[in-house]
Amino acid sequence: MNTIPLEHYLLVAAALFSIGLAIAITKRHFIGMLLGIELMLNAVNINLIAFSRYDPEKLSGQLFALFVIVVAAAEVTIALAIIMRVYGHYKTVDPDQVDDLKR
């Protein structure tokens, strides 16, 4: 059985994390920022599963990955609810136009 070296997993995860960071920083909409954060969380999951695969005695990497998935799902739910409220009030999802917090 051919196994993929750990370095390949780490390289893919680093690339995915970098792309997610670039998206989160450069996007001008809340949804784009959220997508960038999700890509970064998926890169963390790849790292956790890769390290867990090379230490089969411990399942901690897989458990942490499951925890990250649950936290990401909760984050998306709350973030989308906030985005919907912001859009309902300001009629935009552009963070630069949402600049007052009077209420």
Side-chain angles (χ1 to χ4, degrees):
M1 181 172 134
N2 274 339
T3 60
I4 300 172
L6 179 63
E7 293 82 17
H8 292 158
Y9 287 111
L10 298 179
L11 188 64
V12 169
L16 192 62
F17 189 87
S18 299
I19 292 168
L21 183 63
I23 289 172
I25 291 174
T26 60
K27 286 297 178 182
R28 309 261 314 157
H29 295 287
F30 289 120
I31 303 289
M33 291 177 189
L34 188 62
L35 288 173
I37 293 169
E38 290 299 319
L39 281 176
M40 290 188 290
L41 288 173
N42 285 329
V44 170
N45 279 340
I46 289 173
N47 280 335
L48 290 171
I49 296 299
F51 285 124
S52 176
R53 181 176 177 178
Y54 286 95
D55 189 13
E57 296 295 320
K58 298 179 182 175
L59 295 177
S60 60
Q62 294 174 2
L63 292 175
F64 280 128
L66 183 62
F67 180 71
V68 169
I69 291 170
V70 169
V71 169
E75 173 223 349
V76 167
T77 304
I78 292 169
L80 287 176
I82 291 171
I83 290 169
M84 289 175 58
R85 294 290 294 176
V86 166
Y87 182 77
H89 187 268
Y90 294 101
K91 303 295 183 221
T92 184
V93 291
D94 186 3
D96 291 334
Q97 294 179 1
V98 179
D99 57 359
D100 61 27
L101 297 173
K102 293 180 182 175
R103 288 193 215 175

XYZ file of all heavy atoms in Angstrom:
802
model
N 0.838 -1.179 0.000
C 0.000 0.000 0.000
C 0.886 1.247 0.000
O 1.782 1.382 0.808
C -0.894 -0.026 1.246
C -1.815 1.133 1.348
S -2.957 0.858 2.704
C -2.863 2.443 3.450
N 0.646 2.136 -0.935
C 1.384 3.395 -0.986
C 0.799 4.380 0.013
O -0.411 4.583 0.046
C 1.306 4.024 -2.379
C 2.379 3.495 -3.303
O 3.383 2.973 -2.829
N 2.159 3.615 -4.586
N 1.660 4.970 0.804
C 1.195 5.989 1.738
C 1.741 7.339 1.300
O 2.859 7.445 0.800
C 1.657 5.699 3.174
O 3.078 5.662 3.193
C 1.093 4.377 3.664
N 0.936 8.327 1.476
C 1.338 9.689 1.130
C 2.180 10.227 2.273
O 1.786 10.135 3.437
C 0.094 10.566 0.903
C -0.746 9.990 -0.236
C 0.492 11.994 0.598
C -2.080 10.643 -0.420
N 3.344 10.799 1.968
C 4.184 11.337 3.044
C 3.511 12.486 3.782
O 2.672 13.215 3.227
C 5.441 11.830 2.314
C 5.402 11.217 0.968
C 3.975 10.903 0.661
N 3.877 12.640 5.034
C 3.299 13.690 5.884
C 3.541 15.079 5.303
O 2.680 15.955 5.410
C 3.883 13.586 7.297
C 3.404 14.607 8.309
C 1.909 14.453 8.551
C 4.171 14.465 9.604
N 4.685 15.272 4.655
C 5.018 16.583 4.105
C 4.008 17.046 3.062
O 3.725 18.231 2.946
C 6.422 16.571 3.481
C 7.540 16.385 4.469
C 7.772 14.931 4.841
O 7.285 14.023 4.106
O 8.425 14.697 5.866
N 3.451 16.095 2.302
C 2.459 16.470 1.293
C 1.180 17.000 1.939
O 0.583 17.979 1.470
C 2.146 15.286 0.385
C 3.304 14.904 -0.490
N 3.422 13.663 -1.047
C 4.401 15.585 -0.890
C 4.531 13.591 -1.756
N 5.145 14.765 -1.669
N 0.753 16.336 3.003
C -0.421 16.827 3.732
C -0.164 18.236 4.281
O -1.023 19.114 4.193
C -0.767 15.897 4.902
C -1.367 14.585 4.507
C -0.654 13.404 4.677
C -2.651 14.511 3.993
C -1.198 12.183 4.337
C -3.208 13.293 3.636
C -2.478 12.139 3.811
O -3.023 10.943 3.466
N 1.012 18.419 4.847
C 1.335 19.715 5.438
C 1.435 20.802 4.383
O 1.034 21.950 4.623
C 2.632 19.623 6.243
C 2.611 18.658 7.422
C 3.955 18.653 8.121
C 1.499 18.999 8.381
N 1.944 20.466 3.207
C 2.045 21.439 2.121
C 0.665 21.858 1.621
O 0.397 23.049 1.421
C 2.876 20.854 0.978
C 3.226 21.797 -0.152
C 4.113 22.932 0.367
C 3.925 21.049 -1.261
N -0.220 20.878 1.453
C -1.588 21.195 1.022
C -2.302 22.034 2.081
O -2.989 23.019 1.759
C -2.377 19.897 0.722
C -3.859 20.177 0.548
C -1.818 19.217 -0.514
N -2.135 21.679 3.340
C -2.785 22.425 4.416
C -2.236 23.854 4.501
O -3.000 24.801 4.714
C -2.594 21.718 5.743
N -0.927 24.021 4.317
C -0.342 25.366 4.351
C -0.857 26.208 3.192
O -1.161 27.400 3.363
C 1.180 25.280 4.308
N -0.967 25.605 2.009
C -1.499 26.333 0.857
C -2.958 26.725 1.093
O -3.366 27.862 0.813
C -1.372 25.486 -0.406
N -3.755 25.800 1.609
C -5.165 26.076 1.878
C -5.314 27.161 2.933
O -6.153 28.058 2.811
C -5.859 24.788 2.322
C -7.378 24.807 2.389
C -7.960 25.068 1.013
C -7.870 23.469 2.912
N -4.480 27.115 3.982
C -4.538 28.129 5.024
C -4.149 29.496 4.455
O -4.785 30.507 4.765
C -3.608 27.759 6.187
C -3.775 28.644 7.383
C -4.736 28.352 8.338
C -3.002 29.774 7.555
C -4.914 29.158 9.436
C -3.161 30.597 8.657
C -4.123 30.286 9.607
N -3.133 29.533 3.608
C -2.699 30.802 3.008
C -3.772 31.386 2.107
O -4.018 32.602 2.128
C -1.412 30.591 2.209
O -0.387 30.130 3.043
N -4.413 30.541 1.324
C -5.497 31.011 0.462
C -6.654 31.541 1.311
O -7.220 32.600 1.020
C -5.974 29.883 -0.476
C -4.877 29.551 -1.495
C -7.259 30.261 -1.195
C -5.132 28.270 -2.269
N -6.994 30.819 2.366
C -8.068 31.266 3.255
C -7.739 32.585 3.931
O -8.597 33.460 4.057
N -6.495 32.743 4.358
C -6.082 33.999 4.985
C -6.148 35.150 3.996
O -6.635 36.243 4.331
C -4.667 33.857 5.550
C -4.113 35.059 6.300
C -4.945 35.346 7.543
C -2.661 34.811 6.678
N -5.689 34.927 2.771
C -5.748 35.967 1.746
C -7.192 36.354 1.442
O -7.509 37.538 1.298
C -5.046 35.493 0.476
N -8.075 35.374 1.379
C -9.490 35.664 1.123
C -10.095 36.440 2.286
O -10.816 37.415 2.082
C -10.270 34.361 0.860
C -9.869 33.782 -0.499
C -11.773 34.598 0.910
C -10.442 32.414 -0.763
N -9.818 36.014 3.516
C -10.392 36.681 4.692
C -9.919 38.128 4.796
O -10.663 38.996 5.248
C -10.033 35.915 5.960
N -8.697 38.401 4.380
C -8.160 39.760 4.486
C -8.624 40.649 3.345
O -8.928 41.829 3.550
C -6.617 39.709 4.549
C -6.179 39.108 5.880
C -6.013 41.098 4.369
C -4.689 38.876 5.974
N -8.714 40.111 2.127
C -8.964 40.961 0.960
C -10.427 41.108 0.575
O -10.761 42.045 -0.157
C -8.203 40.429 -0.266
O -8.636 39.092 -0.551
C -6.707 40.446 -0.021
N -11.287 40.225 1.002
C -12.692 40.320 0.585
C -13.377 41.514 1.229
O -13.116 41.870 2.359
C -13.459 39.040 0.930
C -13.120 37.893 0.021
C -13.503 38.201 -1.398
C -13.126 37.074 -2.319
N -13.436 37.333 -3.688
N -14.294 42.111 0.494
C -14.981 43.303 0.951
C -16.383 42.996 1.473
O -17.126 43.912 1.787
C -15.086 44.302 -0.200
C -13.786 44.574 -0.884
C -13.061 45.779 -0.497
N -13.881 46.945 -0.409
C -13.557 47.986 0.313
N -12.454 47.953 1.011
N -14.314 49.038 0.363
N -16.755 41.736 1.534
C -18.076 41.359 2.021
C -17.924 40.372 3.168
O -16.969 39.606 3.232
C -18.919 40.725 0.911
C -19.242 41.675 -0.195
N -20.155 42.683 -0.059
C -18.753 41.782 -1.451
C -20.230 43.370 -1.180
N -19.372 42.845 -2.045
N -18.911 40.385 4.053
C -18.885 39.492 5.201
C -18.879 38.021 4.785
O -18.217 37.198 5.404
C -20.085 39.751 6.109
C -20.007 41.050 6.856
C -20.980 42.021 6.695
C -18.965 41.313 7.716
C -20.920 43.210 7.387
C -18.889 42.495 8.412
C -19.866 43.453 8.244
N -19.617 37.692 3.744
C -19.693 36.304 3.288
C -18.324 35.828 2.818
O -17.906 34.708 3.119
C -20.738 36.150 2.161
C -22.113 36.640 2.613
C -20.801 34.718 1.670
C -22.806 35.775 3.604
N -17.606 36.659 2.074
C -16.266 36.302 1.627
C -15.313 36.097 2.783
O -14.490 35.174 2.776
N -15.415 36.953 3.782
C -14.573 36.782 4.973
C -14.877 35.462 5.675
O -13.975 34.756 6.118
C -14.808 37.942 5.943
C -14.310 39.256 5.470
S -14.747 40.516 6.688
C -14.301 41.975 5.800
N -16.147 35.132 5.754
C -16.560 33.878 6.383
C -16.027 32.677 5.614
O -15.570 31.699 6.214
C -18.084 33.836 6.473
C -18.715 32.711 7.254
C -18.285 32.777 8.706
C -20.219 32.798 7.156
N -16.047 32.751 4.292
C -15.510 31.658 3.484
C -14.011 31.491 3.706
O -13.498 30.362 3.767
C -15.798 31.908 2.006
C -17.249 31.733 1.575
C -17.423 32.168 0.132
C -17.678 30.309 1.747
N -13.294 32.593 3.833
C -11.861 32.519 4.111
C -11.574 31.866 5.446
O -10.656 31.041 5.566
N -12.353 32.211 6.446
C -12.177 31.605 7.770
C -12.471 30.109 7.715
O -11.763 29.306 8.338
C -13.064 32.321 8.805
C -12.556 33.754 9.013
C -13.109 31.556 10.117
C -13.488 34.633 9.801
N -13.474 29.718 6.963
C -13.798 28.296 6.829
C -12.664 27.538 6.145
O -12.351 26.407 6.526
C -15.102 28.111 6.051
C -16.325 28.551 6.803
C -16.545 27.772 8.083
O -16.355 26.536 8.084
O -16.900 28.390 9.087
N -12.033 28.137 5.139
C -10.890 27.489 4.498
C -9.742 27.303 5.480
O -9.069 26.265 5.475
C -10.416 28.306 3.295
C -11.221 28.155 2.017
C -10.682 29.089 0.942
C -11.194 26.729 1.529
N -9.511 28.301 6.330
C -8.444 28.175 7.321
C -8.762 27.053 8.320
O -7.864 26.290 8.707
C -8.228 29.507 8.043
C -7.602 30.560 7.160
S -7.126 32.060 8.002
C -8.685 32.784 8.411
N -10.009 26.941 8.731
C -10.391 25.856 9.648
C -10.227 24.486 8.988
O -9.816 23.523 9.636
C -11.827 26.053 10.133
C -12.028 27.200 11.122
C -13.510 27.403 11.381
C -11.295 26.942 12.406
N -10.530 24.391 7.695
C -10.336 23.122 6.995
C -8.861 22.771 6.878
O -8.496 21.593 6.926
C -10.992 23.166 5.619
C -12.498 23.056 5.702
O -13.014 22.411 6.599
N -13.186 23.692 4.781
N -7.998 23.761 6.732
C -6.561 23.497 6.710
C -6.097 22.942 8.052
O -5.269 22.021 8.107
C -5.795 24.779 6.371
N -6.637 23.472 9.131
C -6.309 22.948 10.460
C -6.775 21.498 10.586
O -6.054 20.649 11.126
C -6.935 23.832 11.559
C -6.828 23.186 12.917
C -6.291 25.211 11.557
N -7.957 21.202 10.057
C -8.459 19.823 10.106
C -7.554 18.871 9.334
O -7.315 17.747 9.772
C -9.881 19.749 9.553
C -10.902 20.154 10.569
O -10.646 20.150 11.758
N -12.073 20.523 10.102
N -7.049 19.303 8.185
C -6.133 18.451 7.416
C -4.887 18.146 8.243
O -4.415 17.004 8.280
C -5.766 19.125 6.075
C -6.972 19.116 5.145
C -4.586 18.410 5.413
C -6.767 19.899 3.865
N -4.341 19.154 8.895
C -3.161 18.933 9.736
C -3.467 17.962 10.869
O -2.673 17.064 11.159
C -2.648 20.248 10.316
C -1.819 21.018 9.334
O -1.236 20.454 8.426
N -1.761 22.314 9.510
N -4.594 18.155 11.539
C -4.938 17.279 12.663
C -5.102 15.829 12.221
O -4.589 14.908 12.874
C -6.219 17.777 13.335
C -6.106 19.082 14.119
C -7.486 19.564 14.528
C -5.228 18.894 15.335
N -5.787 15.607 11.119
C -6.002 14.247 10.632
C -4.689 13.644 10.139
O -4.417 12.457 10.354
C -7.069 14.232 9.525
C -8.415 14.679 10.087
C -7.185 12.860 8.893
C -8.968 13.809 11.184
N -3.846 14.453 9.492
C -2.560 13.930 9.009
C -1.683 13.487 10.173
O -1.084 12.407 10.124
C -1.851 14.998 8.182
N -1.594 14.289 11.206
C -0.781 13.897 12.355
C -1.399 12.699 13.074
O -0.680 11.842 13.597
C -0.585 15.063 13.316
C 0.396 16.078 12.818
C 0.033 17.402 12.685
C 1.691 15.715 12.492
C 0.937 18.341 12.223
C 2.610 16.640 12.037
C 2.228 17.959 11.898
N -2.707 12.625 13.097
C -3.369 11.485 13.733
C -3.118 10.200 12.950
O -2.986 9.128 13.535
C -4.866 11.754 13.832
O -5.537 10.646 14.361
N -3.037 10.316 11.648
C -2.805 9.137 10.813
C -1.427 8.535 11.069
O -1.254 7.329 10.995
C -2.942 9.524 9.350
C -2.743 8.379 8.414
C -2.972 8.768 6.997
N -2.693 7.626 6.141
C -2.831 7.628 4.855
N -3.244 8.709 4.256
N -2.561 6.566 4.155
N -0.460 9.354 11.374
C 0.889 8.860 11.607
C 1.133 8.460 13.062
O 2.229 8.059 13.408
C 1.915 9.882 11.128
C 1.989 9.906 9.620
C 1.250 10.816 8.894
C 2.749 8.966 8.954
C 1.287 10.805 7.517
C 2.797 8.951 7.573
C 2.059 9.868 6.852
O 2.089 9.851 5.486
N 0.119 8.574 13.892
C 0.185 8.069 15.265
C -1.114 7.322 15.545
O -2.018 7.839 16.205
C 0.376 9.217 16.252
C 0.661 8.722 17.660
O 0.958 7.517 17.819
O 0.587 9.539 18.588
N -1.238 6.099 15.031
C -2.522 5.386 15.106
C -2.925 4.975 16.519
O -4.072 4.629 16.743
C -2.297 4.154 14.214
C -0.824 3.955 14.179
C -0.214 5.315 14.357
N -2.011 5.026 17.464
C -2.350 4.651 18.834
C -3.276 5.663 19.498
O -4.060 5.323 20.370
C -1.069 4.510 19.665
C -0.152 3.406 19.197
C -0.779 2.030 19.360
O -1.433 1.805 20.386
O -0.620 1.205 18.451
N -3.158 6.917 19.087
C -3.952 7.981 19.707
C -4.948 8.526 18.688
O -4.605 8.775 17.548
C -3.045 9.098 20.198
C -2.072 8.643 21.257
C -1.192 9.780 21.683
C -0.185 9.291 22.712
N 0.764 10.319 23.074
N -6.155 8.734 19.119
C -7.191 9.299 18.249
C -7.438 10.768 18.547
O -8.455 11.318 18.152
C -8.492 8.515 18.412
C -8.455 7.059 17.958
C -9.780 6.393 18.250
C -8.122 6.980 16.489
N -6.517 11.401 19.234
C -6.747 12.791 19.644
C -6.853 13.724 18.448
O -7.634 14.669 18.470
C -5.651 13.260 20.597
O -4.386 13.182 19.976
N -6.096 13.491 17.384
C -6.180 14.348 16.199
C -7.553 14.293 15.568
O -8.111 15.313 15.168
N -8.116 13.097 15.479
C -9.454 12.953 14.908
C -10.509 13.579 15.811
O -11.466 14.188 15.325
C -9.753 11.484 14.666
C -8.861 10.880 13.609
C -9.048 9.387 13.466
O -9.885 8.790 14.134
N -8.259 8.786 12.604
N -10.336 13.453 17.107
C -11.298 14.069 18.031
C -11.230 15.586 17.965
O -12.263 16.270 17.974
C -11.055 13.574 19.454
C -11.361 12.100 19.703
C -10.966 11.696 21.118
C -12.818 11.814 19.447
N -10.020 16.133 17.877
C -9.885 17.579 17.738
C -10.484 18.058 16.419
O -11.104 19.120 16.363
C -8.425 18.016 17.842
C -7.920 18.112 19.239
C -6.759 17.460 19.610
C -8.591 18.858 20.192
C -6.279 17.543 20.904
C -8.129 18.945 21.492
C -6.971 18.288 21.851
N -10.296 17.286 15.341
C -10.877 17.660 14.050
C -12.401 17.677 14.131
O -13.055 18.573 13.589
C -10.407 16.705 12.965
N -12.974 16.692 14.805
C -14.424 16.674 14.987
C -14.883 17.896 15.785
O -15.902 18.523 15.460
C -14.846 15.384 15.693
C -16.339 15.175 15.888
C -17.039 15.098 14.541
C -16.589 13.923 16.688
N -14.118 18.257 16.816
C -14.437 19.442 17.609
C -14.367 20.704 16.744
O -15.233 21.579 16.846
C -13.476 19.547 18.788
C -13.708 20.731 19.667
C -14.816 20.801 20.484
C -12.819 21.794 19.659
C -15.042 21.902 21.289
C -13.029 22.895 20.458
C -14.144 22.951 21.276
N -13.368 20.808 15.880
C -13.240 21.970 14.996
C -14.420 22.045 14.043
O -14.952 23.131 13.768
C -11.904 21.926 14.218
C -11.863 22.967 13.112
C -10.729 22.129 15.162
N -14.881 20.916 13.537
C -16.034 20.897 12.633
C -17.286 21.385 13.356
O -18.072 22.173 12.809
C -16.239 19.490 12.049
C -15.104 19.163 11.082
C -17.584 19.373 11.346
C -15.079 17.719 10.634
N -17.485 20.946 14.594
C -18.656 21.380 15.364
C -18.592 22.885 15.637
O -19.587 23.601 15.484
C -18.763 20.577 16.677
C -19.791 21.167 17.610
C -19.078 19.123 16.379
N -17.412 23.374 16.017
C -17.260 24.813 16.277
C -17.473 25.613 14.991
O -18.099 26.676 15.009
C -15.876 25.104 16.899
C -15.585 26.585 16.934
C -15.803 24.518 18.296
N -16.980 25.110 13.862
C -17.157 25.801 12.585
C -18.633 25.873 12.198
O -19.100 26.902 11.692
C -16.357 25.108 11.493
N -19.377 24.800 12.438
C -20.808 24.811 12.134
C -21.536 25.835 13.000
O -22.401 26.579 12.513
C -21.391 23.425 12.343
N -21.185 25.897 14.282
C -21.798 26.898 15.164
C -21.411 28.308 14.739
O -22.245 29.220 14.738
C -21.378 26.645 16.608
N -20.158 28.481 14.340
C -19.692 29.803 13.900
C -20.443 30.260 12.658
O -20.858 31.421 12.564
C -18.196 29.735 13.611
C -17.641 30.989 12.996
C -16.674 30.728 11.873
O -16.253 29.588 11.675
O -16.359 31.712 11.183
N -20.641 29.368 11.703
C -21.356 29.719 10.479
C -22.792 30.100 10.789
O -23.317 31.080 10.253
C -21.302 28.552 9.463
C -22.284 28.760 8.339
C -19.900 28.413 8.913
N -23.425 29.359 11.658
C -24.813 29.649 12.018
C -24.945 31.037 12.636
O -25.800 31.833 12.231
C -25.331 28.587 12.996
O -25.179 27.302 12.399
C -26.779 28.831 13.341
N -24.091 31.336 13.585
C -24.157 32.636 14.261
C -23.762 33.763 13.313
O -24.410 34.814 13.265
C -23.271 32.627 15.518
C -23.873 31.677 16.543
C -23.124 34.023 16.107
C -22.979 31.376 17.708
N -22.705 33.540 12.517
C -22.253 34.586 11.599
C -23.311 34.898 10.543
O -23.548 36.069 10.221
C -20.947 34.174 10.934
N -23.958 33.879 9.996
C -25.000 34.131 9.007
C -26.195 34.853 9.618
O -26.805 35.713 8.975
C -25.431 32.830 8.336
C -24.423 32.242 7.356
C -24.920 30.909 6.819
C -24.152 33.203 6.213
N -26.537 34.535 10.862
C -27.622 35.256 11.532
C -27.255 36.727 11.716
O -28.084 37.620 11.483
C -27.933 34.613 12.872
N -26.015 36.996 12.107
C -25.567 38.380 12.267
C -25.565 39.097 10.929
O -25.999 40.261 10.826
C -24.178 38.415 12.930
C -24.276 37.956 14.384
C -23.564 39.815 12.849
C -22.938 37.745 15.049
N -25.094 38.425 9.883
C -25.060 39.040 8.555
C -26.465 39.368 8.080
O -26.704 40.436 7.503
C -24.331 38.113 7.560
C -22.841 38.075 7.888
C -24.537 38.568 6.126
C -22.080 36.997 7.146
N -27.417 38.478 8.335
C -28.803 38.755 7.934
C -29.364 39.955 8.680
O -30.072 40.790 8.099
C -29.670 37.517 8.154
C -29.366 36.408 7.167
S -30.251 34.880 7.480
C -31.937 35.412 7.415
N -29.049 40.088 9.967
C -29.513 41.256 10.735
C -28.859 42.542 10.235
O -29.516 43.580 10.140
C -29.218 41.063 12.224
C -29.985 39.950 12.874
C -31.421 40.257 13.012
N -31.568 41.367 13.955
C -32.700 41.937 14.252
N -33.802 41.511 13.708
N -32.759 42.930 15.111
N -27.566 42.481 9.933
C -26.867 43.662 9.416
C -27.452 44.056 8.067
O -27.694 45.237 7.809
C -25.345 43.403 9.304
C -24.659 44.468 8.473
C -24.723 43.328 10.685
N -27.710 43.081 7.198
C -28.302 43.392 5.901
C -29.708 43.965 6.055
O -30.089 44.898 5.348
C -28.343 42.156 5.003
C -28.908 42.475 3.642
C -28.133 43.126 2.691
C -30.213 42.152 3.318
C -28.651 43.444 1.461
C -30.746 42.456 2.089
C -29.956 43.109 1.150
O -30.470 43.442 -0.067
N -30.483 43.423 6.983
C -31.827 43.945 7.209
C -31.821 45.385 7.687
O -32.712 46.166 7.364
N -30.809 45.773 8.436
C -30.746 47.129 8.970
C -30.078 48.104 8.006
O -30.570 49.201 7.781
C -30.006 47.124 10.309
C -30.029 48.445 11.004
N -29.047 49.385 10.839
C -30.925 48.985 11.861
C -29.331 50.446 11.559
N -30.467 50.220 12.204
N -28.949 47.713 7.418
C -28.168 48.621 6.563
C -28.403 48.415 5.070
O -27.936 49.214 4.259
C -26.673 48.454 6.836
C -26.256 48.894 8.208
C -26.043 47.959 9.212
C -26.080 50.235 8.508
C -25.657 48.354 10.477
C -25.696 50.639 9.767
C -25.483 49.689 10.747
O -25.107 50.084 12.002
N -29.057 47.350 4.672
C -29.282 47.000 3.269
C -27.985 46.812 2.496
O -27.919 47.069 1.294
C -30.160 48.050 2.567
C -31.496 48.274 3.208
C -32.343 47.036 3.127
C -33.709 47.328 3.710
N -34.210 46.268 4.519
N -26.934 46.349 3.163
C -25.655 46.043 2.529
C -24.897 45.039 3.389
O -25.158 44.939 4.583
C -24.798 47.304 2.331
O -23.606 46.951 1.618
C -24.427 47.955 3.641
N -23.992 44.299 2.724
C -23.105 43.406 3.461
C -21.655 43.865 3.318
O -20.736 43.109 3.590
C -23.255 41.931 3.008
C -24.589 41.380 3.431
C -23.020 41.784 1.524
N -21.461 45.095 2.899
C -20.121 45.667 2.783
C -19.685 46.191 4.146
O -20.293 47.107 4.694
C -20.123 46.803 1.762
C -18.745 47.352 1.476
O -17.764 46.813 2.020
O -18.640 48.312 0.697
N -18.623 45.633 4.735
C -18.215 46.052 6.082
C -17.794 47.515 6.163
O -17.902 48.126 7.223
C -17.032 45.148 6.409
C -17.015 44.083 5.393
C -17.806 44.542 4.230
N -17.331 48.090 5.051
C -16.915 49.494 5.074
C -18.094 50.446 5.196
O -17.958 51.565 5.672
C -16.111 49.840 3.822
C -14.754 49.163 3.809
O -14.246 48.857 4.919
O -14.206 48.951 2.723
N -19.267 50.022 4.751
C -20.445 50.876 4.838
C -21.177 50.738 6.179
O -22.052 51.526 6.488
C -21.391 50.578 3.682
C -20.792 50.953 2.336
C -21.733 50.637 1.197
O -22.846 50.155 1.406
N -21.291 50.906 -0.012
N -20.829 49.727 6.925
C -21.430 49.523 8.250
C -20.457 50.116 9.244
O -19.570 49.465 9.758
C -21.649 48.015 8.528
C -22.246 47.810 9.893
C -22.511 47.397 7.449
N -20.626 51.407 9.532
C -19.636 52.071 10.368
C -20.204 52.715 11.621
O -19.466 53.224 12.437
C -18.878 53.123 9.551
C -19.806 54.154 8.929
O -21.024 54.048 9.115
O -19.292 55.054 8.246
N -21.504 52.696 11.778
C -22.042 53.272 13.018
C -22.716 52.188 13.853
O -23.349 51.291 13.361
C -23.012 54.417 12.727
C -24.236 53.997 11.919
O -24.626 52.828 11.998
O -24.787 54.830 11.225
N -22.528 52.300 15.152
C -23.112 51.353 16.091
C -23.918 52.113 17.135
O -23.706 51.975 18.325
C -22.019 50.508 16.755
C -21.215 49.623 15.833
C -20.061 48.982 16.590
C -22.079 48.542 15.234
N -24.840 52.933 16.668
C -25.599 53.780 17.585
C -26.598 52.978 18.407
O -26.927 53.364 19.509
C -26.317 54.880 16.802
C -25.334 55.850 16.181
C -26.069 56.929 15.425
C -25.064 57.849 14.771
N -25.700 58.848 13.932
N -27.132 51.887 17.880
C -28.113 51.104 18.620
C -27.524 49.833 19.089
O -26.924 49.057 18.622
C -29.322 50.801 17.751
C -30.158 52.016 17.515
C -31.447 51.573 16.943
N -31.895 52.574 15.999
C -32.941 52.435 15.263
N -33.632 51.331 15.312
N -33.341 53.367 14.463
